[in-house]
């Protein structure tokens, strides 16, 4: 029979937490399935939106920044240039806000039933993978059609996706914990997502950034992710040092996120 | 003896007064506090003088101990609960009963001490916790089951049983938003009824739903107890505790005041009980059901004696209520019930007992409701409960509230006292004829 320890002692709580993560893996799966099912319940339209959104956005961006501003794209067609950035970016930003709001969305459960609270934002982040998968297939198809497809696009995806998930987990967990206490965070998220997009070479290519700023730019893991997708589309070499930096930052943000969330989660129910 | 099912050591929980409201819930307030704190530190670097280097934690503890806005909802609780025991937890509102259950069900962490338990804990809190409207009955069984702590294999194994129990076979693939409320409740309860935890927690105060559901909860509890599992029950009904429990614990101001046989502990509890104030605010937590259509907000005893919820002997009980109607209710029936302190009903009345009363239909809004009860009660303490229903349909009983503890004083306004040696709950009334001699004696 399993023995559970509920303790005021922090070290004992960590041990129990790790045990719980394993014990509650099925609930994680259940939440995941719930979120996916609810999201794609009206299947035809649901999936269609996931395809249409980045497609329309890329078209609009291509029209404005290609047709009017004449943004340099390092030789990529405008629509592909923007699609390559918007597929990872839109899934990133929607996962960010969904995970930040996940504690509130599950407040009715959190105040009644125990489960490791990490499960709620965690499941949301994993749900966004489905959106990403659909967008990614679209991107590959589009690249093939435009004659810019390269096997590197597939080979590098697991690494880039890993960086993206770690980053969103880190930032999302911090925001989720803060949002439970401060409802101001909801407004902050929209704002933050917009700023973050500007700090990521989505609209502009990384090559347009002045050299002195480029080192700082890549402290943002999403900058590395977006740039690497574009590099793969152009058949340009991937900058592995940059990738290493992105991965390191993403990993530390995820670790910080879990630590921060854990520190706060135990008292969330007294606040929610 | 084997290790206890639940072992509680030095358990304590500290809250801040006002709960949520007192916490800084806006970022600005916390940022201001933080900045103020920084400046204070800079201005008075020697303000904290201590014989040893204090850790952050210690400084925090020292501040909190001195801060009157913090209080202990539970303090120094030590209990061993053996496997198979059915333990009733009693105490007044605010004694710490619900906090204890919240810690045991791991919804909130303790501030001090630890709890070790063996097996799974499940709590019957609310019907359909975690149900999602967009998902089908089938999907919700799995969702709800795993939220309540069942494994997918267990749910799959019991799936047919659950469906049959809920009598919703035909609608398994229909989203539950299309279910009638009766079907919804049946399905939700069916899932909960098939849980097989080693330890079951029931908070009767929180076990919302209609009367029928509460009866089912009690039934479930009894069957769990019969199987040799451990049950923890928080109840206001002394009758339930005495009838079902093998052990009782009396909490008072966050500490264990008495524990032992239910009869003794209940007697101890009743000894110190007293009437409520003449006017009382009713909180949503006092409602036995989820507040949906109607809530009672405030109750006042008219012409109460001594400014308490007390009436003189034989004085009619006149009560005014403030009722908030949240959605239009057709043909509403109001009822009131007097119970003894151990939960035995003395009598029940409904506003439409008088059939000449027209049906009442209430639009949303706040209403004042007044009624007067005849008072046949003997001196002592009683519970007054109120309820509202739609045409006496027990399944839709949407409002049930323990309104107040009522005291019937042992004298009238003029100081007359009833004959003291009489026993019973109500004053009997009778008419006697003087004995008539039928035969002469020897």
């Amino acid at each position: 029979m399993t023995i559970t320890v509920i303790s005021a002692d922090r070290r004992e709580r960590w041990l129990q937490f790790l045990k719980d993560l394993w014990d509650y893996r099925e609930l994680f799966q259940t939440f995941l399935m719930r979120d996916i099912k609810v999201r794609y319940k009206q299947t035809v339209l649901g999936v269609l939106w996931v395809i249409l959104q980045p497609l329309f956005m890329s078209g609009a961006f291509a029209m404005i920044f290609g047709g009017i501003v004449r943004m340099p794209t390092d030789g990529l067609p405008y629509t592909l240039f923007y699609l390559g950035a918007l597929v990872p970016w839109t899934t990133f930003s929607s996962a960010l806000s969904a995970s930040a709001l996940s504690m509130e969305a599950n407040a009715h459960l959190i105040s009644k039933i125990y489960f490791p609270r990490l499960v709620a934002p965690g499941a949301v982040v994993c749900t966004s993978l489905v959106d990403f998968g659909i967008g990614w297939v679209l991107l590959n198809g589009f690249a093939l059609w435009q004659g810019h497809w390269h096997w590197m696009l597939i080979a590098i995806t697991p690494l880039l996706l890993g960086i993206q998930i770690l980053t969103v987990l880190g930032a999302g967990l911090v925001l989720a914990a803060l949002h439970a206490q401060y409802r101001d965070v909801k407004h902050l998220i929209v704002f933050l997502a917009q700023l973050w997009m500007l700090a990521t070479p989505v609209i502009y290519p990384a090559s347009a950034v002045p050299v002195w700023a480029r080192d700082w730019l890549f402290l943002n893991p999403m900058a590395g992710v977006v740039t690497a997708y574009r590099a793969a589309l152009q058949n340009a070499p991937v900058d592995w040092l940059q990738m290493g930096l992105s991965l390191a930052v993403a990993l530390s943000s995820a670790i910080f996120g879990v630590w921060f969330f854990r520190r706060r989660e135990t008292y969330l129910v007294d606040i929610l | 003896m084997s290790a206890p099912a639940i072992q509680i050591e030095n358990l304590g929980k500290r809250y801040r007064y006002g709960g949520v409201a007192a916490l800084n819930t806006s970022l600005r307030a916390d940022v201001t506090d933080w900045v103020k704190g920084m400046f204070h530190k800079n201005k008075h670097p020697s303000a904290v003088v201590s014989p040893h280097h204090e850790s952050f934690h210690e400084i925090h503890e020292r501040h909190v101990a001195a801060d009157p806005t913090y209080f202990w909802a539970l303090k120094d609780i030590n209990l061993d609960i053996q496997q198979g025991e059915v333990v009733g937890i009693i105490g007044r509102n605010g004694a710490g009963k619900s906090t204890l259950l919240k810690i045991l069900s791991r919804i909130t962490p303790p501030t001090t001490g630890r709890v070790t338990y063996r097996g799974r804990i499940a709590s019957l809190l609310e019907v359909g916790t975690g149900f999602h409207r967009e998902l089908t009955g089938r999907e919700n069984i799995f969702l709800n089951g795993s939220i309540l702590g069942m494994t997918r294999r267990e749910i799959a194994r019991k799936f047919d049983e659950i469906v049959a129990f809920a009598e919703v076979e035909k609608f398994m693939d229909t989203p539950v938003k299309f279910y009638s409320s009766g079907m919804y409740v049946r399905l939700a309860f069916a899932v909960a009824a098939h849980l097989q935890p080693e330890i079951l927690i029931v908070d009767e105060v929180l076990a919302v739903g209609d009367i029928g559901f509460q009866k089912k909860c009690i039934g479930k509890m009894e069957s769990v107890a019969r199987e040799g599992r451990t049950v923890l029950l928080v109840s206001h009904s002394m009758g339930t505790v005495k009838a079902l429990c093998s052990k009782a614990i009396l909490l008072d101001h966050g500490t264990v005041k008495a524990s032992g046989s239910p009869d003794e502990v209940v007697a101890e509890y009743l000894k110190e009980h007293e009437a409520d104030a003449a006017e009382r605010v009713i909180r949503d937590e006092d409602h036995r059901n989820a507040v949906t259509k109607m809530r009672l907000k405030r109750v006042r005893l008219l012409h109460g004696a001594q400014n308490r919820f007390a009436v003189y002997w034989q004085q009619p009980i006149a009560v005014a209520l403030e009722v908030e109607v949240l959605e239009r209710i057709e043909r509403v029936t109001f009822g009131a019930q007097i119970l003894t302190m151990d939960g035995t009903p003395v009598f029940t009345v409904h506003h439409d007992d008088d059939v000449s009363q027209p049906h009442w239909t209430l639009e949303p809004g706040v209403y004042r409701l007044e009624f007067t009860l005849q008072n046949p009660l003997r001196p002592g303490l009683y519970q007054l409960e109120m309820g509202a229903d739609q045409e006496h349909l027990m399944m839709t009983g949407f409002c049930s509230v323990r309104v107040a503890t009522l005291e019937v004083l042992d004298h009238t306004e003029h100081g007359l006292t009833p004959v003291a040696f009489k026993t019973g709950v109500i004053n009997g009334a009778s008419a006697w004829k003087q004995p008539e001699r039928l035969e002469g004696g020897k």
Side-chain angles (χ1 to χ4, degrees):
Chain A
M1 209 184 281
T2 57
I3 294 179
T4 310
V5 177
I6 307 168
S7 175
D9 181 72
R10 200 168 277 160
R11 196 170 317 146
E12 268 185 308
R13 272 216 289 254
W14 265 103
L15 283 176
Q16 184 63 41
F17 168 72
L18 295 176
K19 194 166 156 283
D20 285 345
L21 273 190
W22 177 247
D23 288 347
Y24 281 81
R25 62 191 185 280
E26 281 203 353
L27 186 66
F28 179 81
Q29 212 181 330
T30 310
F31 273 1
L32 194 65
M33 293 312 286
R34 177 195 67 180
D35 291 345
I36 291 175
K37 274 178 190 156
V38 170
R39 192 163 160 74
Y40 299 102
K41 203 71 195 183
Q42 289 99 356
T43 324
V44 182
L45 210 66
V47 176
L48 206 64
W49 272 122
V50 180
I51 297 175
L52 285 183
Q53 205 206 350
L55 213 55
F56 274 136
M57 282 283 277
S58 315
F61 275 33
M63 237 152 59
I64 294 168
F65 297 110
I68 302 172
V69 185
R70 304 242 162 247
M71 189 71 79
T73 64
D74 301 336
L76 279 177
Y78 278 113
T79 313
L80 191 60
F81 177 79
Y82 284 118
L83 195 63
L86 283 172
V87 165
W89 178 260
T90 45
T91 47
F92 173 81
S93 75
S94 65
L96 183 69
S97 58
S99 60
L101 301 179
S102 63
M103 298 302 281
E104 193 190 11
N106 286 298
H108 62 290
L109 286 182
I110 288 171
S111 58
K112 294 210 173 66
I113 303 251
Y114 173 78
F115 53 87
R117 306 314 187 196
L118 199 66
V119 166
V124 166
V125 169
C126 290
T127 310
S128 74
L129 288 181
V130 180
D131 276 8
F132 179 84
I134 297 168
W136 184 80
V137 170
L138 176 74
L139 177 65
N140 275 276
F142 206 81
L144 263 178
W145 178 49
Q146 298 265 311
H148 275 276
W149 189 84
H150 189 263
W151 61 266
M152 198 57 183
L153 184 58
I154 292 182
I156 204 167
T157 298
L159 174 66
L160 297 184
L161 194 57
I163 295 174
Q164 180 178 335
I165 287 177
L166 289 174
T167 312
V168 81
L169 205 61
L173 287 177
V174 171
L175 288 174
L178 286 176
H179 178 248
Q181 186 167 0
Y182 309 110
R183 291 300 145 94
D184 316 55
V185 173
K186 195 184 286 180
H187 310 288
L188 195 72
I189 293 164
V190 182
F191 181 61
L192 186 77
Q194 281 167 352
L195 271 188
W196 200 331
M197 181 168 127
L198 292 179
T200 307
V202 174
I203 296 174
Y204 52 91
S207 59
V209 176
V211 181
W212 63 267
R214 219 171 286 174
D215 293 340
W216 296 103
L217 181 70
F218 287 105
L219 278 181
N220 166 13
M222 284 311 287
V225 169
V226 167
T227 309
Y229 277 117
R230 280 179 180 157
L233 287 169
Q234 284 162 267
N235 196 11
V238 173
D239 186 338
W240 293 107
L241 194 69
Q242 217 173 61
M243 287 291 90
L245 178 65
S246 293
L247 186 62
V249 174
L251 197 62
S252 22
S253 101
I255 291 170
F256 176 77
V258 171
W259 174 81
F260 185 81
F261 187 83
R262 277 285 304 154
R263 264 193 79 96
R264 300 221 158 205
E265 79 165 342
T266 35
Y267 294 99
L268 282 183
V269 72
D270 300 336
I271 307 167
L272 262 177
Chain B
M1 191 160 37
S2 62
I6 307 175
Q7 192 172 13
I8 302 175
E9 300 159 90
N10 299 318
L11 195 70
K13 173 77 185 179
R14 186 173 49 210
Y15 278 114
R16 216 164 157 178
Y17 267 115
V20 184
L23 276 172
N24 290 339
T25 43
S26 88
L27 196 54
R28 198 180 61 190
D30 261 5
V31 170
T32 332
D33 278 4
W34 184 65
V35 172
K36 267 190 212 154
M38 296 236 320
F39 276 108
H40 275 285
K41 248 186 259 162
N42 291 343
K43 270 189 198 159
H44 309 286
S46 58
V48 181
V49 182
S50 57
H52 66 289
H53 183 75
E54 270 185 314
S55 71
F56 240 166
H57 180 71
E58 282 170 314
I59 294 173
H60 176 70
E61 283 301 308
R62 197 159 48 77
H63 279 286
V64 165
D67 189 341
T69 61
Y70 284 92
F71 72 100
W72 289 92
L74 284 178
K75 199 159 171 56
D76 301 330
I77 305 282
N78 285 287
L79 284 171
D80 280 353
I81 292 164
Q82 304 301 329
Q83 197 212 318
E85 274 186 322
V86 179
V87 181
I89 301 170
I90 56 180
R92 289 182 211 193
N93 283 338
K97 305 179 300 270
S98 296
T99 306
L100 181 59
L101 290 201
K102 271 189 182 172
I103 292 175
L104 289 177
S105 50
R106 304 177 70 191
I107 291 164
T108 189
T111 315
T112 64
R114 66 206 293 266
V115 179
T116 315
Y117 64 82
R118 287 162 182 78
R120 273 188 302 178
I121 283 192
S123 48
L124 290 184
L125 285 178
E126 191 173 316
V127 228
T129 299
F131 263 43
H132 200 291
R133 288 168 42 78
E134 297 289 338
L135 299 179
T136 66
R138 182 187 309 280
E139 288 163 345
N140 267 311
I141 290 179
F142 280 93
L143 176 63
N144 192 230
S146 48
I147 285 172
L148 291 174
M150 280 194 256
T151 63
R152 293 187 76 80
R153 267 183 50 200
E154 264 180 288
I155 305 169
R157 205 174 55 227
K158 290 182 184 158
F159 187 81
D160 291 336
E161 251 180 273
I162 294 176
V163 176
F165 190 93
E167 304 163 29
V168 288
E169 290 93 335
K170 280 185 210 153
F171 307 98
M172 266 301 99
D173 295 305
T174 311
V176 294
K177 64 176 170 184
F178 298 120
Y179 279 29
S180 71
S181 58
M183 284 159 70
Y184 189 94
V185 171
R186 284 206 306 274
L187 182 64
F189 184 77
V191 180
H194 287 81
L195 275 173
Q196 283 194 317
E198 280 76 25
I199 301 163
L200 182 72
I201 290 181
V202 184
D203 190 341
E204 199 201 47
V205 187
L206 288 179
V208 296
D210 49 57
I211 315 297
F213 175 67
Q214 278 173 32
K215 282 194 184 134
K216 280 184 170 176
C217 278
I218 299 284
K220 169 69 180 170
M221 233 180 64
E222 284 175 311
S223 74
V224 166
R226 266 199 306 275
E227 290 161 16
R229 295 160 202 270
T230 313
V231 179
L232 279 177
L233 164 75
V234 161
S235 181
H236 275 303
S237 162
M238 299 303 123
T240 310
V241 170
K242 278 206 241 178
L244 293 178
C245 298
S246 57
K247 180 180 177 178
I249 292 164
L250 172 60
L251 288 182
D252 184 47
H253 293 101
T255 57
V256 176
K257 188 148 189 222
S259 82
S261 87
D263 286 335
E264 285 166 27
V265 176
V266 167
E268 175 79 27
Y269 174 64
L270 294 181
K271 208 167 65 190
E272 53 167 282
H273 224 77
E274 55 183 38
D276 280 314
E279 181 157 1
R280 210 175 152 238
V281 173
I282 299 172
R283 301 164 304 165
D284 280 4
E285 297 93 274
D286 294 329
H287 287 65
R288 269 211 202 108
N289 49 314
V291 173
T292 50
K293 295 180 180 171
M294 173 190 289
R295 69 155 64 86
L296 302 190
K297 295 180 71 173
R298 190 180 284 275
V299 62
R300 194 154 67 89
L301 180 70
L302 303 172
H303 323 297
Q306 303 160 358
N307 213 13
R308 290 186 303 143
F309 217 99
V311 290
Y312 294 107
W313 181 51
Q314 290 187 328
Q315 178 195 342
I317 304 157
V319 176
L321 286 160
E322 212 175 283
V323 179
E324 185 178 0
V325 176
L326 302 168
E327 58 183 70
R328 183 188 153 90
I329 308 166
E330 277 178 55
R331 299 165 81 91
V332 63
T333 299
F334 285 98
Q337 188 172 39
I338 295 281
L339 303 99
T340 60
M341 290 309 290
D342 68 8
T344 313
V346 180
F347 62 83
T348 309
V349 293
H350 291 97
H351 92 262
D352 51 5
D353 289 342
D354 172 7
V355 289
S356 66
Q357 273 279 7
H359 289 297
W360 293 345
T361 293
L362 299 177
E363 302 292 338
V366 178
Y367 292 81
R368 179 188 158 92
L369 175 70
E370 249 185 69
F371 64 90
T372 306
L373 294 176
Q374 299 270 325
N375 176 10
L377 299 167
R378 299 275 309 159
L381 288 166
Y382 300 88
Q383 300 172 57
L384 172 65
E385 297 197 351
M386 288 281 308
D389 239 325
Q390 217 158 1
E391 296 191 81
H392 292 296
L393 297 171
M394 285 316 270
M395 280 309 283
T396 63
F398 49 77
C399 199
S400 164
V401 184
R402 200 195 69 84
V403 169
T405 302
L406 166 81
E407 181 172 7
V408 177
L409 300 174
D410 62 358
H411 55 276
T412 66
E413 210 166 344
H414 313 292
L416 290 173
T417 52
V419 181
F421 57 75
K422 275 191 180 156
T423 57
V425 181
I426 58 170
N427 299 309
S430 53
W432 301 72
K433 278 185 180 166
Q434 190 180 351
E436 198 179 330
R437 190 170 188 177
L438 300 176
E439 256 174 57
K442 293 265 163 71

